[in-house]
Amino acid sequence: MLAGQTIADPPSFLARPDLFRQAAFIDGAWVEAEARLAVRNPANNAVIGVTPNLGAAETILAVEAAERAFQSWRKLTGKARGAILRRWFDLIIANSDDLAGLLTLEQGKPLAEARGEIQYAASFIEWFAEEAKRIYGETIPGHEPGRRQMVIKQPVGVVAAVTPWNFPAAMITRKVAPALAVGCTVVLKPSELTPFTALALAFLAREAGLPAGAFNIVTGEAPPIGDVLTTDPRIKKFTFTGSTPVGKMLAAKCMATVKRVSLELGGNAPLIVFDDADLDKAVEGAISSKFRNTGQTCVCANRLLVQAGIHDAFAAKLTARVAGFVVGDGLQGPTDQGPLINEAAVAKVRGHVEDAKHGGARVLIGGESLEGAGHFFAPTVLVDVTPRMRMSREETFGPVAGLIRFETEEEAVSIANATSAGLAAYFFTRDVNRAWRVGEALEAGMVGINTGQVSSETAPFGGVKESGLGREGAHYGADEFVELKLLSSDIND
C-alpha cells in the first residue's frame, strides 16, 4: 500500500471528473507524494485510486497554513463567512449525484443512503452558514456601581479534526462547518479508507471562495499525522470521531498542550420494545436504526430488548423484513445493504455471531458471510441472546440484530444502562407516562422515542459516559469552537 501505486482515472460515472482528487489539499494547493495509499472498493476489493501517504512534515505545513489563514478569516464578519459557506452548500447540492457516487464507491453503502448522507452533510453547512451571524455574547449587570461587564465569543483558533470512514461526508461537515462559521480554520485528517469524498468536498469549498489555508486536508496513515495534530501548540482545538480506545489515547496526548477536545466515540445503543408498542412501527424503527449503513453506525441499535409478550411477533416480523433485503454493490443497482468496510470488519461480525451461537442463541436468518470478492455479511436476526454475550457487550458494527427477551420495565432499563457507553438509546411504547419515565432513566446523550433516528442538523449530537465529550449540531455545535472572554470595565472617573 505504499510507493509504486499509480494514479487512477476518474470513475466513468462522474459528470465532473475534476471532483476526483488523488492529492492532499494544503494552503489552497493540491499536494502529491511518491508514497501513496491505495483505496479499495469494499464491494469488490478493486483499487479505486490512490492518495498521498503524508507524514509529520506535511501536517506541520498544513498547520502553518491554517494559522496564517486564521488571522484574516477570523476578521471577516459572520455574514461574510456565512455567504461563502452558503455557496459551498449550493455547490454540494448541485453536485450531489457525483458526490453520492464517490461515497458509495469508496464506502459501500447503498446509493440511496449515500444520496441521503450528502443531503445530511450539506444541511450542516447550510445551518452553520446561517448561525455565523448569530454568535451572540452577553452583557452582565455590574456587581458594583460603575462596573460594566460583557462576555464575548471569539474563535478558538486552528482546529484539528479527525473523521471516520462510516460517514465520509457528514462527519466532516458536522465539524468543519461550525468551525469555519465562527472564524476558526481547520486541518482535517479523513480516514485513509474513504478519502475521496473529503477531497471532493474540499474542491467545492475552494470553488465556493473559501480562502487558501482555511480548510486543509492531510491524507495518509494515522500515527505521524495524529502526533502533530494532538501535540502542536498552534492547534487550539481537537475534534475526533472514532473508537473509544483511540479517542482516549488522542485526548491524553492533547492534554500536553491543554487543547480543547471534543470526542464522539463508540456506542452500545439499546432499542427497547415494550408490550404496548405499535408493533409495525417498532419493526420499522429497528430496521432504520439497526441496518442503516449495514449496521456500521455508532448510534445503531446494538442490543434489541423485546418484552416477553411481544417478543415472538416482533422477531417474526423483523425476520420477514430482513428476508426481503437486497444485498450488493450500490453502484450496480438498487440495494438495501452494502458491504462491510473491510475483511477485519467481517471477521468481527462473524466472531460475534459465533460467540452468540455458542452461548445458546438461535439464528433466524443470515448468520454468515457471503461468498465473493467483496466484504459482505448476510443480514442476520438472532434470538435467545443474553447480556453476557459479546454482541451485547461490544459494538458489532454490522448487520446483526440480536434479540434479548425481558419481563419488566425495570429489567429493561437496568440492562440498557449496564454499559460504559452512553451515546444513543431508543424505545417504543404507547404509554405517555412510560415515555417520560424511561426517557429520563436511560443513560444516553440522545434518546429516540418511537423512532429509530435521532440526528439532524438542528439537534445536539453527542454522548455521556465513555461515549464522548461535547456536542455537534444545532447552536451547541458552534459553542464547541469559541472561547468565552469577559470584558470588565470600571467607567467611573
Side-chain angles (χ1 to χ4, degrees):
M1 291 183 62
L2 298 178
Q5 297 289 348
T6 57
I7 300 292
D9 293 331
S12 59
F13 61 76
L14 290 178
R16 285 193 60 177
D18 55 354
L19 289 176
F20 186 63
R21 316 303 298 189
Q22 297 178 81
F25 188 63
I26 299 174
D27 203 14
W30 296 99
V31 177
E32 299 183 2
E34 290 187 11
R36 299 168 180 152
L37 297 178
V39 181
R40 294 181 179 273
N41 181 348
N44 56 25
N45 212 34
V47 174
I48 303 164
V50 297
T51 54
N53 188 26
L54 302 183
E58 295 88 355
T59 308
I60 290 170
L61 291 177
V63 174
E64 291 171 350
E67 187 181 38
R68 287 193 301 272
F70 175 63
Q71 306 310 318
S72 55
W73 179 249
R74 68 180 301 184
K75 293 177 183 177
L76 294 180
T77 64
K79 182 176 181 179
R81 291 193 298 267
I84 293 173
L85 290 176
R86 178 68 203 198
R87 288 196 292 272
W88 190 18
F89 165 81
D90 290 337
L91 286 169
I92 289 172
I93 296 302
N95 293 278
S96 58
D97 285 344
D98 277 356
L99 293 171
L102 280 176
L103 199 159
T104 292
L105 183 67
E106 65 178 353
Q107 199 278 334
K109 66 180 59 178
L111 189 57
E113 286 193 28
R115 291 192 177 107
E117 182 181 340
I118 296 302
Q119 296 292 322
Y120 178 52
S123 73
F124 288 102
I125 299 174
E126 180 184 41
W127 173 270
F128 287 108
E130 296 163 350
E131 285 295 292
K133 297 179 290 186
R134 293 188 281 270
I135 310 301
Y136 299 143
E138 183 179 25
T139 57
I140 302 173
H143 60 282
E144 60 185 24
R147 179 73 65 176
R148 296 294 182 267
Q149 300 178 111
M150 178 182 293
V151 175
I152 63 172
K153 294 180 179 180
Q154 295 183 307
V156 66
V158 177
V159 173
V162 177
T163 54
W165 50 263
N166 57 337
F167 287 88
M171 297 301 95
I172 290 172
T173 60
R174 202 161 70 185
K175 298 177 186 297
V176 173
L180 292 173
V182 304
C184 297
T185 54
V186 180
V187 178
L188 169 72
K189 195 279 181 202
S191 170
E192 59 269 30
L193 301 176
T194 56
F196 294 128
T197 303
L199 295 167
L201 289 173
F203 182 85
L204 293 176
R206 188 72 170 126
E207 193 170 274
L210 197 66
F215 181 30
N216 308 273
I217 296 183
V218 182
T219 61
E221 295 172 324
I225 298 171
D227 283 345
V228 174
L229 297 183
T230 53
T231 61
D232 193 309
R234 293 168 295 186
I235 291 175
K236 305 302 182 183
K237 165 81 178 187
F238 181 82
T239 175
F240 170 80
T241 297
S243 74
T244 299
V246 173
K248 289 179 178 179
M249 180 267 293
L250 295 174
K253 289 186 174 183
C254 287
M255 288 305 99
T257 51
V258 196
K259 301 186 193 306
R260 292 185 59 181
V261 175
S262 293
L263 303 172
E264 197 264 282
L265 307 178
N268 188 4
L271 185 147
I272 306 170
V273 183
F274 290 103
D275 282 348
D276 58 17
D278 180 321
L279 180 58
D280 291 331
K281 191 170 187 177
V283 168
E284 291 309 310
I287 293 291
S288 173
S289 176
K290 172 70 260 185
F291 292 99
R292 184 164 61 106
N293 197 19
T294 317
Q296 299 173 115
T297 80
C298 55
V299 293
C300 77
N302 198 57
R303 299 168 292 155
L304 277 68
L305 284 59
V306 187
Q307 199 160 16
I310 204 172
H311 177 278
D312 292 349
F314 179 88
K317 280 184 172 286
L318 181 65
T319 301
R321 284 283 282 109
V322 171
F325 284 169
V326 176
V327 181
D329 184 341
L331 295 178
Q332 301 300 315
T335 58
D336 300 296
Q337 297 283 277
L340 297 176
I341 191 63
N342 54 28
E343 187 54 39
V346 175
K348 180 181 181 181
V349 174
R350 186 188 300 117
H352 279 199
V353 171
E354 291 304 313
D355 173 78
K357 288 166 61 179
H358 181 74
R362 294 182 292 118
V363 176
L364 299 187
I365 190 171
E368 59 189 7
S369 54
L370 302 179
E371 295 183 0
H375 308 303
F376 291 94
F377 197 93
T380 299
V381 178
L382 300 97
V383 293
D384 299 331
V385 173
T386 72
R388 296 183 300 276
M389 293 173 179
R390 283 184 61 197
M391 69 168 54
S392 299
R393 294 182 287 107
E394 305 171 6
E395 274 190 296
T396 301
F397 238 58
V400 177
L403 275 57
I404 300 172
R405 187 190 299 261
F406 72 90
E407 298 291 339
T408 68
E409 177 184 311
E410 294 74 17
E411 180 188 5
V413 171
S414 177
I415 294 171
N417 288 341
T419 173
S420 62
L423 189 57
Y426 311 86
F427 68 94
F428 290 79
T429 182
R430 287 186 171 120
D431 186 326
V432 174
N433 291 331
R434 172 176 277 163
W436 285 107
R437 192 167 58 241
V438 174
E440 293 181 4
L442 289 172
E443 296 170 354
M446 300 169 286
V447 178
I449 305 173
N450 293 323
T451 179
Q453 301 288 336
V454 292
S455 55
S456 78
E457 78 279 13
T458 63
F461 187 103
V464 299
K465 299 198 282 192
E466 293 190 14
S467 284
L469 301 169
R471 293 296 184 268
E472 296 179 336
H475 68 86
Y476 306 98
D479 289 342
E480 296 289 333
F481 298 96
V482 296
E483 293 282 13
L484 300 182
K485 178 181 284 186
L486 171 66
L487 303 179
S488 180
S489 174
D490 185 345
I491 62 171
N492 290 314
D493 292 333

